[in-house]
Amino acid sequence: MRAGLLRRFAAELDVPLVLHGSSGLPDDEPTAAVTGDTTKVDIGTALNLAMTGAIREFLATHPDAVDSRTYLSVGGAARADAAGSSPCCGPTAARSHRPTAAGSGAPTS
């Protein structure tokens, strides 16, 4: 990623910048995007990998499991853990550049 280029785009464009496809980037790059001028960082692939891996592990150790609530809850917990440890949205993520609802100045959820 080129942080200088992102800053130039942010200064020239009147639209939020979004980092698509952050999976596989070193932790410092999405973090730099969040602390800089990027409004949103997509981490969906990383979350899906965590969830699917946990479900596969659960089903491998519980081959007779048929109640989807059991393995989906394990997968959901793994997904939540992955989000919480992400440099983009975890507890240490920077919150200096939060999107706002259409000019209201109020942070969006």
Side-chain angles (χ1 to χ4, degrees):
M1 262 183 5
R2 294 173 48 193
L5 185 58
L6 287 175
R7 283 188 197 84
R8 284 182 48 210
F9 283 149
E12 295 292 326
L13 302 172
D14 190 27
V15 295
L17 297 179
V18 177
L19 175 58
H20 292 279
S22 67
S23 298
L25 290 178
D27 285 351
D28 62 330
E29 290 188 14
T31 300
V34 171
T35 58
D37 298 303
T38 304
T39 303
K40 179 182 175 209
V41 177
D42 289 341
I43 60 168
T45 301
L47 299 180
N48 291 339
L49 287 169
M51 182 172 189
T52 303
I55 291 171
R56 286 183 176 147
E57 184 178 321
F58 180 87
L59 291 174
T61 58
H62 301 86
D64 295 330
V66 293
D67 186 350
S68 61
R69 293 172 294 185
T70 57
Y71 56 83
L72 288 177
S73 65
V74 169
R79 186 176 172 123
D81 288 346
S85 64
S86 166
C88 299
C89 57
T92 60
R95 303 285 185 221
S96 62
H97 188 77
R98 296 204 39 203
T100 58
S104 71
T108 59
S109 51

